[in-house]
Amino acid sequence: MKMLIPVKRVIDYNVKVRVKSDGTGVETSNVKMSMNPFDEIAVEEAVRLKEAGKVEEVIAVSLGVAQCQETIRTALAMGADRGIHVASDTDLEPLAVAKLLKALVERESPELVILGKQAIDDDSNQTGQMLAALLGWPQATFASEIELGDGTAKVIREIDGGLETININLPAIVTTDLRLNEPRYASLPNIMKAKKKPIDELTPEDLGVDVTPRLETLKVDEPPKREAGVMVESVAELVDKLKNEARVI
């Protein structure tokens, strides 16, 4: 079985995001970048399935600027076998990403695609679902447990009411939730080995995909700062503030 694992380069989750002075976006210059945490979980799950003998090859894919190769190398150091970089300086929207991944799926013919349920930069939570729709494949989102069978996969999903267990036929799309696993740290020997693993370079034009943005960002603002709490003398005063100041009741 072959698996495709998309990995996205995002601002590191420990970094405080700052809005650009002109309000056109967030500042990324001289900012630490890393692999999207949900995609790290996807890579870890793929490597575990490979170690269990369920998967033969794990392919890490990243779309975007040249620095995305660093993100692919991280996935290779974690245990992926090879990488594919689709180079583009365009701000790729979820639909464009899904179309590019569809073209790669048709090119590589994997039986399973696992990706993070969302990226921590835009929080769109759209790409996996769009990819499944474009391919006409079954999908299992928000997975907290995956068990591969003979041409099927049993997936336990996290839903609002608790957990849901579903069985889907392969090939399929699965998106990962936080509790699926704990990603490993890449060891120094594996980091060195990752430098020798191949990364194929493509462009959207090679895949026949138009990635022209369909959306226009008008302005980006920081959220308003939270005001300090206040102590109230009575329940009546609390109710009055909730009703007349906060306007939540």
Side-chain angles (χ1 to χ4, degrees):
M1 179 187 293
K2 184 188 292 187
M3 290 183 62
L4 195 71
I5 313 297
V7 293
K8 186 176 184 181
R9 179 176 181 263
V10 299
I11 296 175
D12 190 88
Y13 67 92
N14 286 313
V15 174
K16 178 176 173 55
V17 177
R18 293 179 291 111
V19 175
K20 291 181 179 179
S21 58
D22 59 4
T24 58
V26 298
E27 191 61 64
T28 57
S29 299
N30 300 316
V31 173
K32 182 182 178 183
M33 309 292 282
S34 62
M35 186 189 301
N36 177 45
F38 290 101
D39 295 338
E40 278 189 304
I41 294 170
V43 174
E44 175 65 26
E45 190 65 20
V47 173
R48 290 187 186 189
L49 290 170
K50 181 185 174 185
E51 291 172 345
K54 301 285 187 179
V55 174
E56 295 178 359
E57 185 180 28
V58 176
I59 306 168
V61 177
S62 193
L63 320 172
V65 296
Q67 293 88 335
C68 287
Q69 290 205 16
E70 300 171 8
T71 308
I72 296 175
R73 291 293 178 195
T74 300
L76 295 176
M78 290 175 67
D81 298 294
R82 61 186 175 94
I84 299 175
H85 175 219
V86 181
S88 175
D89 292 327
T90 303
D91 186 14
L92 298 174
E93 297 170 355
L95 181 58
V97 173
K99 288 181 176 180
L100 290 169
L101 292 177
K102 175 180 181 287
L104 288 173
V105 166
E106 293 171 345
R107 182 188 181 104
E108 296 290 339
S109 301
E111 293 184 67
L112 187 62
V113 179
I114 301 183
L115 63 161
K117 70 172 185 176
Q118 64 196 76
I120 62 172
D121 53 358
D122 57 17
D123 272 337
S124 291
N125 185 13
Q126 295 175 345
T127 302
Q129 294 89 327
M130 287 178 171
L131 178 59
L134 291 172
L135 289 168
W137 284 11
Q139 61 177 305
T141 55
F142 318 131
S144 63
E145 186 175 330
I146 302 172
E147 182 180 327
L148 296 183
D150 185 14
T152 64
K154 184 177 80 170
V155 180
I156 298 178
R157 303 179 59 239
E158 297 198 12
I159 60 175
D160 291 341
L163 298 175
E164 177 186 50
T165 302
I166 62 173
N167 287 291
I168 55 176
N169 294 322
L170 300 178
I173 309 295
V174 175
T175 69
T176 63
D177 216 322
L178 282 173
R179 281 152 287 278
L180 180 59
N181 59 51
E182 183 72 28
R184 70 192 66 189
Y185 289 101
S187 64
L188 182 58
N190 286 339
I191 292 173
M192 300 305 294
K193 290 177 183 178
K195 295 181 179 180
K196 298 180 180 180
K197 292 182 179 180
I199 297 179
D200 298 330
E201 288 208 50
L202 300 169
T203 64
E205 291 74 22
D206 295 333
L207 299 172
V209 177
D210 179 13
V211 296
T212 303
R214 296 166 178 261
L215 305 175
E216 179 185 357
T217 300
L218 301 179
K219 188 178 180 182
V220 178
D221 288 318
E222 289 190 12
K225 293 182 179 180
R226 294 184 61 180
E227 297 181 0
V230 296
M231 298 293 291
V232 295
E233 298 293 335
S234 65
V235 173
E237 185 182 355
L238 172 62
V239 171
D240 179 69
K241 287 184 177 294
L242 291 174
K243 183 176 181 180
N244 299 313
E245 293 184 18
R247 299 185 183 278
V248 296
I249 59 173

